[in-house]
Structure formats: structure tokens, C-alpha cells
Amino acid sequence: MSRRPPPRHAKTSAPGLVTGIYVPRAADAAASAMTTYGVPLLVLATTGSPVLTGLAFALEWLPRLGAFAAAGTLVDRYGAARVFRLAALARAMVVMTAAFVLAASAEGPTGTVTVMVLAAVSGVATECTFIASETAGGAASRLAGGRAHRVQSVLMAIDQTAILAGPAAAGLLLHWRGPVGMLSILAGLSLLGTVLVPRHKTDMAITPAASVAGGLRTGWSTFRSLPALAWLVGGLVLSNFAAGLLQAAMPIIIVTELGRSSTDAGLIWSTAAVASLLAITATRTAIDRWGLWAVGAVAATIAATATLAVSQAHTYNGYLLLIAVLMAGEGGMVVVLRTLRSQLIPADVFGSTLSVTALLLLAPFPAAGLLVAAVPPDHLSHAITGAAILQALGLAMAFTRLRTLPGLRVPARHP
């Protein structure tokens, strides 16, 4: 019986980690961070409406769910490099078009429609590049074997470094150069990603053509067969709802309620990225010493405690400190998730299964945006408290169950 050849993105003939994985990931992560954190600020600056800001956040995330449904199948069929390159190019074109429109008419219905459409379309392209780069990173992690968490920690460090600079850069550019200046830099970063991603001669379809529905069925079946991954994702779904609520509400709280600038709003997430980056570095060593489960449980406790405290904060410095602690815990959990995912998901269905996990993990974000749009600004703290309680309960249940399951009980390696 002949074996079906592995997907192209699992081959070892690609360039090394630095030029083939890390450098393109850095350019895309910077563009993604500016998109995710900058677009809500752009909407608030252009429209002045908290309701439209919440709706824009939902619009930014809702199409991403549909993008994930197709992106995994496309990556498995055509290869990570090709999908990454085309998605980054599409994002650059959309952003440049929006910049031209806003340069001519930033106010009124034209400006409002432009920023809302930008939120939706840029979200789709961003998640396509994410699936492609995550698939390439998963292949690199499998090749690393027992050191997979080290590859994932580097990828996480790249992402968090981008989040460190992205929100602050978006806020500064929006404050000093306006929407056109911010969007011009974002378009440039997207174009840079298309140039940096390696061009492989083998970048072609080698897996049988499959429909999007077929890819999702395959991914869902694989996901259900991995109980450790399913429980971890389940806990993180509730955690992401709390994080998404904070992300959507923060421009309103900081700019509208506290009267601070868009630069101050971006600085919160940049400061949080510093804490997350430090946590990711510590997580790599901690997993070597204590194993995945122990490190994940500690990170979950930190994240849940910080979110509960954020719901009671009323000052800028309080939000700054507590969100930094929250993101440190989130960073540790994501390293655990990515490591487990790269170890458990078979290579030939990695893209499809990754799409399913991403759909589940990102579904709370548009829901959070809609909730922010519906809740009056002076009641946002109550919504955050409820989300924090759900997060704490979900993570407690998940890690209690994971203590008895294989997968996360990877033996610690003592020096």
C-alpha cells in the first residue's frame, strides 16, 4: 500500500528557522498587532461613537471565523507559503485603499463606512496569514521533537514583541499622523511580509482537493479524538471571552471614560506585551523543569485572578498594571496550548484541525464586541466582572480535568 505524501509544509527542505519561519512571522505579527489594536482606535477617532467601536470590534472578528473555515483547507491544499503571501498582499491592498479614501473624506458616512469595512476585511486577511504561519511553526515544532516548546516560545516572543510595539505605534501614529499615517505603515508591513516569506519550488498542491466543509469535518473529528487538547481549548474559550471584552472595552474606558489619549490606550497593551514576553521566556524554562500541566495551571491562576481584579479597577495605572499581569498569564497558557497542539495534531491534517481550534478560540471575540456595543459605558465594569467569574470557573474545570489526562502530563526534564 502506498503512503500519501506528507503536506508540503511538513517537508524539511525549506529554509532554516530564522529565514523561513521567524523573520516572515515578525513582519506579519507587527502588521497583525497594528490591525487588531489599531482599528478600534481608528474607528473611535473617526466616528467618536462607543457603540460603533464595539460593533467594529465585532466586525473585525466575525469574518475571521469564516476565514478560518477556509484557511486551514487552503493551507493543507496549496501550502503555507503561498496562502501567507496572497493573504498579506490582500491586506496591504485593502489598507492602502482605505488610506486613500480617508485622505479624501475622513468624516461623515464615507469615513464611517470605510473604517467599518476595513475592520471586517483586514480581519479576514490577518487570520489567513495566522493559519499559514502557525502551520509552518507547527511543522518546525514537530521537527524539534522534545524541544518543541522552545520553538513555540520563540514564536510567542515574536508575537508579543509585535504586540509590544504595535498598539503603541498605532496610537502614536493615529495621534500625530492621523488615520492615513497609521494605515500607510500598516500597508508597508503587510507588503514586507509578502517579500520575506520564502518562495519554495515545491509550493504547490500535493494533497487531494477537499471542500471547506470536508476540511472542517476532518479537523473536528481529529479535535474530538484529542481530549487533552479539547479540555484546554474549552477553558481558553472562556478566558478569551474575558480578554476580548477587555480589548473591546479598553478604548472606551481609557479615551471616553478616563479622558486619556489614544496613545495612552495603546500603551496599556504595549506594557502588557512586555509582561507577556517576560512570562513566555520564563515559561520555556519552567516547562523544562516542572512540565506542561504545572506551568499551565499556574498561568491560568494568574490570568483569572488578574481579570477579577481588573473588573474593580478605576484608574489608568490600575488598568495598566492589572492587564499586564493578565497578559503574562495568558502568554504562559498560549505557550502550553501551542506546544500541546504541535505535539498531538497529525501533520497531514494540521491545518484543518488548527482551523477548528482557532474557530473555537476566536468565537468569543465578536461576542465580546457585540456585548460592548450593547452595554452602556458606565455598566462595562459589571460585564467584565461576570466574564471574569466565567473565566475562573472554566479554567479551574479545564485544568482539574487535564490533571488526569495524557498529553499535558508531559514529564518534566530536570537539568
Side-chain angles (χ1 to χ4, degrees):
M1 180 183 295
S2 61
R3 295 179 59 192
R4 191 177 74 180
R8 183 211 47 74
H9 54 68
K11 292 188 176 183
T12 60
S13 58
L17 282 174
V18 174
T19 58
I21 304 294
Y22 297 152
V23 173
R25 178 68 165 251
D28 180 66
S32 298
M34 286 191 66
T35 300
T36 300
Y37 295 94
V39 168
L41 286 173
L42 176 64
V43 172
L44 186 61
T46 303
T47 67
S49 170
V51 174
L52 288 178
T53 301
L55 288 176
F57 188 85
L59 282 175
E60 189 178 5
W61 285 100
L62 274 172
R64 296 186 182 198
L65 303 183
F68 274 122
T73 301
L74 292 175
V75 167
D76 285 341
R77 187 188 305 177
Y78 298 111
R82 180 177 295 179
V83 173
F84 180 97
R85 189 161 47 245
L86 292 177
L89 180 61
R91 180 174 56 199
M93 295 176 64
V94 169
V95 171
M96 285 189 292
T97 300
F100 284 129
V101 173
L102 292 178
S105 177
E107 298 180 355
T110 300
T112 300
V113 171
T114 298
V115 294
M116 299 298 278
V117 171
L118 173 65
V121 179
S122 63
V124 172
T126 294
E127 295 315 317
C128 286
T129 61
F130 171 79
I131 288 289
S133 59
E134 275 291 278
T135 300
S141 295
R142 285 191 296 274
L143 290 175
R147 299 174 68 85
H149 64 280
R150 290 184 172 271
V151 174
Q152 289 298 326
S153 68
V154 173
L155 294 175
M156 277 294 296
I158 291 172
D159 291 345
Q160 293 304 315
T161 301
I163 294 176
L164 170 83
L172 285 170
L173 288 168
L174 187 59
H175 183 73
W176 294 107
R177 298 298 180 184
V180 175
M182 188 193 81
L183 293 176
S184 297
I185 298 298
L186 175 55
L189 288 170
S190 297
L191 288 174
L192 185 61
T194 66
V195 173
L196 292 176
V197 68
R199 294 179 178 271
H200 307 313
K201 294 180 179 179
T202 56
D203 194 14
M204 61 185 68
I206 68 165
T207 57
S211 65
V212 171
L216 286 178
R217 282 195 298 269
T218 299
W220 178 249
S221 176
T222 305
F223 175 75
R224 291 181 60 189
S225 69
L226 304 171
L229 182 62
W231 274 98
L232 181 58
V233 168
L236 289 176
V237 165
L238 293 177
S239 184
N240 281 356
F241 178 73
L245 188 61
L246 287 172
Q247 187 177 323
M250 211 43 54
I252 300 170
I253 293 173
I254 300 303
V255 177
T256 303
E257 296 297 306
L258 298 183
R260 306 295 288 251
S261 68
S262 60
T263 302
D264 293 328
L267 182 61
I268 282 186
W269 296 108
S270 294
T271 302
V274 174
S276 185
L277 188 58
L278 293 174
I280 289 167
T281 303
T283 298
R284 180 178 60 185
T285 303
I287 290 174
D288 280 338
R289 186 174 181 85
W290 291 294
L292 280 172
W293 183 87
V295 173
V298 171
T301 301
I302 292 172
T305 303
T307 308
L308 284 168
V310 167
S311 66
Q312 305 304 314
H314 300 289
T315 66
Y316 177 79
N317 289 336
Y319 286 117
L320 187 73
L321 175 63
L322 291 172
I323 289 180
V325 175
L326 165 63
M327 294 306 293
E330 291 279 345
M333 287 193 292
V334 172
V335 171
V336 172
L337 170 66
R338 290 184 174 182
T339 302
L340 187 69
R341 194 166 58 192
S342 67
Q343 292 176 344
L344 295 182
I345 300 176
D348 59 342
V349 291
F350 189 90
S352 300
T353 310
L354 176 61
S355 292
V356 170
T357 62
L359 279 168
L360 294 172
L361 289 170
L362 294 182
F365 285 93
L370 293 174
L371 182 60
V372 168
V375 173
D378 55 347
H379 287 85
L380 282 176
S381 62
H382 301 304
I384 294 172
T385 300
I389 293 172
L390 287 176
Q391 178 193 34
L393 291 175
L395 290 175
M397 290 177 60
F399 279 91
T400 298
R401 186 71 179 92
L402 285 167
R403 191 170 188 174
T404 63
L405 288 174
L408 225 65
R409 304 297 298 170
V410 177
R413 295 189 305 153
H414 298 280

